[in-house]
Amino acid sequence: MKYLFCLFVLFILSRSALCFAEAVRLKSTADIWLSDANQKERSSSSGRNTRLKLKTIQEMSAIRFDAAPARGRAVLNAKLFLRRAGGDQLRYIRVSTINQNWVEGNSEKVYDLQNGATYLYADYASKRSWAWSGSYFADVIMTSGNSLATWAECEKLEDGWISVALTPELIYALAVGDTDGLAIMDGGNLSYHNNYLHSVQSKGSEPYIEVELGEPLTVTPGKPAVKAEPAIERAHLDAGAIRIAIQEAENVFCWRIKLNGEAVERWRVKHPNSEVPTVFYLENLVPAQEYDLEIVAVSPGGQTSPPAKASVAASPALSSELSLKKLAKPTGAVSAPAQDGKMKVWALPGLVKVSPERSEAMFGDMETSGINAVWDGKAIRLFGARGEYVSYQLCIENLSQKPLTGVKIRFQGMDGTAEVELFTNWCAQNRDGDSQPAYCIPLKHGEAFQIADSRNQSIYVDVYILKNASPGDCSGVVSIEADGVQKAVIPVELSVFDFILPDKLSFWAELNAYRIPRPAHAYYQLAHQHRCVLNCWRWAPKVRGSGKDIQVIWDEYDENVEPLLSGEAFRENRRSGVPVECMYLPFQDSFPTPLSKETYNYQGHWVGRGEDRKYLIEHYLKAPYIGDALSQSYKDAFRAVQRQFIEHFREKGWDQTEMQCFYGGKNTHRIEYGANMWWTTDEPYHWDDWLALQFFCRMWTQGRSDAERGQWLARADISRPQWQGRVLDGIVHTVYFGAGSFSSPDMYRRCRILSRETGLKLMTYGSTNPDNESNTQSVVWILNAWLNGANGVLPWQTLGGDGALDKNDRGAGGGNALLVPGKRFGLEVVGDMRLKALRDGQQLVEYLTILAERYDLQREQIRDMVYRAVEFEAGTRAGTGADNADSLKFSTLKAWQISELRRRVAELIMGL
């Protein structure tokens, strides 16, 4: 009887639902075709053309619909219908709300200029931005700018129609006015196919939405419980901010907010969460001004609550009172005297490359008038913090027509305060074919060398200020002697600041490598000594078995990595015993389980090296979703090896190194190199690649506890942050943004928004200065990155071969040859001078970090201080794209400017 009664209840409920069921059509009323394909097309639109175009992330559409027929009713199902206007390669279709109102315009032409909305403006005529100044259409769609989104595989229908399943949330958003239409994109593939659709202007073929409606939605939400307060943490130098927290509530779809009677734009307002308070910020407000706030809750049916009203003052603006003042050039330099007419010795700053033939700076980073940051013609003057390397160079000129032999350098003084390290600058040809100082070869004190006739030899001098040195001034002398020449004796004066640089790096200069050099530990040690972090792809243990029973064989792996993870490899370094800061985990598409037809259910052709890329395109179009296609055995093996890694490290006590689960695949490597990978998870572009990265990172995150998050991170390398949105929210913890995506104020802001809203650690990758430009550019790269929110820089390829000793970066096979074999000199490895530039930049950031902590400053305040003191620029090189890691270009600062910047920051730290 009980069973029969339950069936009766279900029958009554289903009959009740059927009574309300109704199918309605939402007609399209306006649309626009937008393009991000190139700079010209970004300023174009086609609002009245008979066609729309979808082309991966390059071209997209916005469509308005009349949602009145669906208003006030529950949405059971919904489908978007689009009619193709030609051949297509459509598969995945992405749809989202649009969190800004836009203008259709009246252009019937394709790529017509300055008419209606464009990719860059919601209204080109009035230059009204999509969101914040400098934002794009991408910033208010596809989960960016608090938009709602979905994706689905389209269904191909008769007469060229396709349908795409929509979520109820998108229909509610249309019905209650929480969006201005829907944004439409396709998933794309390597063919970059032009997929044309009929537009609103194509009568009989217009886009439309079919909605299956349920019961009426009649519940009115309650009055919101709101807390609003000043938010100095989101203030700016010229604006204040307010923090708004709205208590969790039932039956609320969105919030409508007014500030002083004006509607707050949708992109600023988060959607409610029924389990936790909704917290967001209103920025760029008049500092300290009182505002009248009004918040209304809106239900999915469009019912509105009584307004919650409050008065709240915006925070003050950030203070700009602290100043570094304008930097002043050093004065008083004079030419050094010749010694017996055969030898001339003078000093110059570190990083400057002096021509071995002309004895002058090669790249504009040192004044030609004799002004010098470390040398006044009589003495060398240095300053620095405890635990810091400070540097200068000695230029020893051979003025005779014969080799200068028996050249020796010796030091006296500064015992207990500093230790001196010497390096001969080995010359190599840069990409322009000019010989220049490049590699720093260790030189023992008093070790003899010779200088060819009519040339000079520059010597790099690193002075390490001991951590236990007493603050104040000390002095010593450096003497240079040679056969048959009067000894040159130069005083060296050192000022020790009353603060110390930490052994634990607050900012990483991370040296990426795509192979493990031999002997590996020597390379890691040299990087570590320069406050850099070498990260080689990849240390991988052997495994045996499969699925849940797979076992990691640790012996060889432990032998290789234990000295790095325990810090033993660095016991003799300046930062003694500090383990390597980060390390790649070995996970990739075919580790721990190789991709095969047994582990990956793809029935198409398994393309190999040298074959046609059409097979990769076929994979985009036909392969099952990755999460469904990978076997359970593949997933079980992944989780088993992950747990074994975590538990093994716990047993060993290796808990100081960030272990990065990084999927760095590119599907084109299948045909270029024969690699067994199907997805481009490194710098994803097409939607299938984003889904693969999302899947792998989610699998990693779900396999470890929140307590383990601090060490066991999922990492992603992203070159187009404007398309990231919330795709990786909660599953990726560190993102390295590419050179092209971290190169302008708009891009910096976009990356900071992603970091702030999703909790990402923000890093950036690119390259150091090319070998034919100033080394100070690498310092500027680090300075610029930190000032704009990054916590590290990563030159994308830093290993060179022996040939780099002759041809510098041309011996790297791409990237920068910063670490190269030292066999010619009886050494395991030697470093390029740019290694010292990265060290100097890292040390400067430590200064700024200490300054920020001392005065409770935000980076925006320090950025303003630095910009007022010294001018420099960042940008991209002409002809480079978002995926080009060598695209960044920075100003060349004079060596004295970097020196004076350090001095001014130090004086503020010490309250001078």
Side-chain angles (χ1 to χ4, degrees):
M1 288 293 295
K2 184 176 181 181
Y3 173 73
L4 292 176
F5 175 75
C6 290
L7 286 178
F8 175 74
V9 171
L10 288 172
F11 173 76
I12 294 298
L13 290 175
S14 64
R15 291 281 294 177
S16 175
L18 287 172
C19 290
F20 291 114
E22 177 187 0
V24 298
R25 177 175 291 194
L26 310 185
K27 296 180 180 179
S28 56
T29 61
D31 56 27
I32 197 161
W33 162 3
L34 304 175
S35 177
D36 183 31
N38 55 60
Q39 190 57 43
K40 179 181 178 181
E41 292 181 13
R42 290 185 190 104
S43 296
S44 73
S45 65
S46 302
R48 296 295 179 89
N49 194 273
T50 58
R51 296 190 303 177
L52 304 172
K53 193 206 295 192
L54 304 183
K55 184 179 181 180
T56 188
I57 61 173
Q58 294 183 8
E59 300 189 65
M60 61 224 69
S61 300
I63 308 175
R64 285 197 187 107
F65 296 90
D66 178 6
R71 191 169 298 133
R73 298 281 293 276
V75 175
L76 304 180
N77 290 292
K79 287 186 178 181
L80 169 67
F81 289 82
L82 303 166
R83 193 173 192 183
R84 292 164 284 170
D88 74 285
Q89 290 189 4
L90 294 172
R91 184 187 181 187
Y92 294 126
I93 302 294
R94 304 173 63 193
V95 185
S96 84
T97 59
I98 304 170
N99 268 352
Q100 182 58 275
N101 299 332
W102 47 276
V103 175
E104 182 185 31
N106 55 20
S107 175
E108 298 179 2
K109 298 179 181 179
V110 175
Y111 307 126
D112 199 13
L113 299 180
Q114 307 172 13
N115 194 314
T118 68
Y119 181 77
L120 301 178
Y121 294 103
D123 178 21
Y124 189 92
S126 64
K127 297 297 188 294
R128 177 164 56 84
S129 298
W130 284 105
W132 34 272
S133 177
S135 60
Y136 305 155
F137 182 55
D139 293 306
V140 294
I141 65 171
M142 303 300 162
T143 69
S144 291
N146 293 306
S147 58
L148 304 172
T150 189
W151 63 274
E153 189 166 354
C154 68
E155 182 181 356
K156 303 281 179 81
L157 307 173
E158 293 181 357
D159 296 328
W161 287 94
I162 63 171
S163 68
V164 184
L166 301 181
T167 59
E169 287 76 15
L170 296 184
I171 307 304
Y172 294 141
L174 287 168
V176 305
D178 191 44
T179 181
D180 188 10
L182 297 177
I184 316 294
M185 301 177 67
D186 83 305
N189 60 60
L190 290 173
S191 72
Y192 298 91
H193 191 83
N194 294 320
N195 300 290
Y196 290 101
L197 305 170
H198 289 284
S199 76
V200 173
Q201 280 69 39
S202 185
K203 299 306 178 184
S205 300
E206 306 98 316
Y208 66 92
I209 299 173
E210 281 191 355
V211 184
E212 183 182 348
L213 300 176
E215 62 185 358
L217 300 175
T218 60
V219 177
T220 298
K223 180 180 178 180
V226 178
K227 181 181 180 180
E229 58 189 352
I232 191 65
E233 67 272 21
R234 291 292 183 87
H236 302 286
L237 291 167
D238 58 355
I242 295 172
R243 180 182 186 271
I244 297 175
I246 310 173
Q247 285 299 308
E248 57 269 32
E250 296 293 330
N251 199 46
V252 179
F253 178 75
C254 64
W255 312 106
R256 289 180 187 156
I257 300 179
K258 290 184 178 180
L259 206 60
N260 284 352
E262 296 289 330
V264 174
E265 294 170 302
R266 295 186 300 275
W267 64 269
R268 297 177 181 269
V269 183
K270 287 187 177 181
H271 283 86
N273 186 319
S274 61
E275 298 180 354
V276 296
T278 306
V279 178
F280 56 94
Y281 294 82
L282 300 181
E283 300 181 32
N284 298 309
L285 305 178
V286 177
Q289 178 174 304
E290 195 79 13
Y291 283 89
D292 293 327
L293 179 68
E294 181 179 297
I295 300 180
V296 170
V298 182
S299 76
Q303 287 77 18
T304 57
S305 73
K309 298 183 178 181
S311 293
V312 58
S315 70
L318 297 177
S319 172
S320 59
E321 292 182 4
L322 207 60
S323 174
L324 295 170
K325 300 180 181 179
K326 206 69 176 175
L327 306 184
K329 294 181 181 180
T331 59
V334 296
S335 178
Q339 304 294 322
D340 294 341
K342 298 179 181 179
M343 181 179 75
K344 179 180 177 181
V345 182
W346 52 288
L348 66 149
L351 306 187
V352 175
K353 291 182 276 191
V354 171
S355 168
E357 292 96 3
R358 299 185 302 277
S359 296
E360 60 185 37
M362 300 178 68
F363 300 111
D365 44 17
M366 190 174 73
E367 300 285 358
T368 58
S369 61
I371 295 174
N372 191 310
V374 299
W375 171 245
D376 64 1
K378 299 178 181 178
I380 297 167
R381 292 185 170 85
L382 308 170
F383 54 83
R386 288 172 287 151
E388 180 181 10
Y389 270 104
V390 295
S391 305
Y392 64 94
Q393 297 180 78
L394 294 170
C395 183
I396 307 171
E397 298 183 34
N398 181 0
L399 305 179
S400 72
Q401 301 301 311
K402 298 179 180 179
L404 189 64
T405 59
V407 184
K408 299 177 182 178
I409 303 172
R410 305 180 192 275
F411 289 87
Q412 289 182 321
M414 292 193 279
D415 294 340
T417 299
E419 295 176 351
V420 177
E421 301 170 10
L422 295 177
F423 303 87
T424 299
N425 288 334
W426 174 270
C427 289
Q429 282 189 347
N430 63 29
R431 65 184 64 188
D432 294 332
D434 297 326
S435 180
Q436 66 177 21
Y439 294 96
C440 297
I441 313 303
L443 177 69
K444 295 178 181 178
H445 293 223
E447 181 181 353
F449 60 94
Q450 70 176 30
I451 303 173
D453 58 282
S454 302
R455 290 175 65 92
N456 71 60
Q457 176 64 60
S458 56
I459 302 294
Y460 214 102
V461 184
D462 273 344
V463 179
Y464 179 74
I465 304 174
L466 300 174
K467 297 171 189 175
N468 60 356
S470 299
D473 298 332
C474 67
S475 61
V477 295
V478 56
S479 61
I480 303 93
E481 60 186 74
D483 294 341
V485 178
Q486 180 182 345
K487 180 191 299 185
V489 179
I490 303 174
V492 181
E493 299 175 2
L494 173 65
S495 295
V496 180
F497 297 143
D498 192 13
F499 60 93
I500 188 170
L501 297 193
D503 283 348
K504 182 177 176 60
L505 306 178
S506 68
F507 183 97
W508 295 352
E510 184 178 339
L511 310 182
N512 192 65
Y514 290 103
R515 60 182 173 86
I516 298 173
R518 303 295 178 185
H521 292 171
Y523 282 73
Y524 278 85
Q525 288 160 350
L526 185 58
H528 190 281
Q529 188 77 325
H530 285 81
R531 298 181 71 90
C532 292
V533 183
L534 181 58
N535 198 3
C536 296
W537 180 260
R538 62 190 173 95
W539 299 98
K542 295 177 181 178
V543 295
R544 61 174 172 236
S546 62
K548 294 180 180 179
D549 299 325
I550 195 169
Q551 291 293 319
V552 179
I553 304 170
W554 293 111
D555 296 353
E556 184 178 345
Y557 180 84
D558 285 358
E559 181 180 348
N560 287 321
V561 304
E562 182 165 20
L564 306 175
L565 298 171
S566 68
E568 180 62 24
F570 313 114
R571 189 166 45 124
E572 302 300 322
N573 277 21
R574 298 298 185 184
R575 297 186 298 123
S576 178
V578 176
V580 67
E581 279 72 14
C582 66
M583 182 179 290
Y584 288 117
L585 285 159
F587 294 87
Q588 59 178 358
D589 301 36
S590 287
F591 180 92
T593 303
L595 291 173
S596 67
K597 291 185 177 181
E598 288 71 38
T599 60
Y600 177 52
N601 184 25
Y602 176 55
Q603 301 304 312
H605 175 62
W606 282 59
V607 60
R609 186 172 186 174
E611 293 191 70
D612 198 308
R613 71 166 44 203
K614 70 181 182 181
Y615 296 112
L616 297 178
I617 296 169
E618 184 178 87
H619 180 265
Y620 275 108
L621 294 172
K622 296 182 179 180
Y625 167 65
I626 181 174
D628 299 331
L630 289 172
S631 70
Q632 190 59 46
S633 175
Y634 182 101
K635 298 171 186 176
D636 288 343
F638 178 99
R639 294 191 177 98
V641 172
Q642 178 190 31
R643 289 314 310 171
Q644 289 175 58
F645 258 93
I646 293 173
E647 291 165 7
H648 184 67
F649 273 53
R650 184 181 295 124
E651 292 171 1
K652 290 285 190 176
W654 301 335
D655 58 4
Q656 299 301 305
T657 300
E658 179 179 293
M659 301 302 296
Q660 299 176 338
C661 180
F662 170 63
Y663 277 77
K666 291 188 183 293
N667 58 9
T668 51
H669 287 180
R670 287 194 73 89
I671 58 176
E672 292 172 354
Y673 309 113
N676 189 9
M677 53 184 64
W678 276 113
W679 305 276
T680 297
T681 46
D682 177 23
E683 301 175 317
Y685 191 101
H686 306 294
W687 185 236
D688 199 49
D689 299 322
W690 283 99
L691 291 177
L693 177 60
Q694 181 189 65
F695 170 80
F696 284 125
C697 291
R698 180 182 289 125
M699 190 159 59
W700 174 262
T701 301
Q702 291 175 343
R704 58 109 180 97
S705 69
D706 288 341
E708 296 160 341
R709 169 176 174 165
Q711 181 178 12
W712 302 91
L713 305 182
R715 162 185 163 175
D717 285 11
I718 304 298
S719 57
R720 294 170 180 83
Q722 65 269 37
W723 295 114
Q724 180 175 329
R726 308 302 287 260
V727 176
L728 305 178
D729 191 8
I731 57 174
V732 168
H733 315 96
T734 299
V735 170
Y736 291 68
F737 290 110
S741 62
F742 202 75
S743 56
S744 68
D746 298 338
M747 285 295 191
Y748 303 145
R749 180 170 183 173
R750 186 170 291 109
C751 293
R752 289 198 300 268
I753 289 172
L754 283 168
S755 175
R756 185 176 65 214
E757 296 296 331
T758 63
L760 297 173
K761 179 182 177 183
L762 195 166
M763 310 286 277
T764 182
Y765 63 88
S767 60
T768 64
N769 58 281
D771 60 13
N772 62 341
E773 296 182 14
S774 170
N775 291 330
T776 68
Q777 292 181 14
S778 292
V779 177
V780 175
W781 180 29
I782 288 178
L783 177 61
N784 181 75
W786 186 87
L787 291 174
N788 286 292
N791 298 295
V793 299
L794 180 147
W796 71 277
Q797 204 295 101
T798 58
L799 298 183
D802 179 77
L805 294 170
D806 301 316
K807 296 186 177 181
N808 220 176
D809 281 352
R810 287 174 293 168
N816 310 119
L818 304 187
L819 297 168
V820 304
K823 186 176 180 180
R824 293 192 198 184
F825 315 105
L827 302 169
E828 294 174 323
V829 59
V830 295
D832 184 272
M833 197 184 290
R834 287 167 291 184
L835 204 60
K836 300 187 184 298
L838 294 174
R839 179 196 65 195
D840 290 358
Q842 198 285 331
Q843 291 180 154
L844 177 56
V845 165
E846 297 293 1
Y847 273 49
L848 296 174
T849 302
I850 294 169
L851 178 68
E853 294 172 351
R854 186 69 52 91
Y855 291 95
D856 192 24
L857 300 173
Q858 296 185 28
R859 290 196 199 184
E860 182 176 336
Q861 292 168 285
I862 296 180
R863 183 170 68 240
D864 177 65
M865 293 168 60
V866 171
Y867 284 176
R868 282 185 283 148
V870 60
E871 296 180 0
F872 60 87
E873 296 179 352
T876 54
R877 300 178 188 276
T880 58
D883 295 326
N884 190 328
D886 295 320
S887 64
L888 282 178
K889 182 176 179 61
F890 293 98
S891 299
T892 295
L893 284 184
K894 303 291 186 185
W896 71 262
Q897 291 175 305
I898 296 174
S899 178
E900 282 301 295
L901 181 60
R902 286 179 51 245
R903 185 196 302 274
R904 294 291 177 83
V905 174
E907 289 172 348
L908 282 178
I909 290 172
M910 296 184 294
L912 301 179

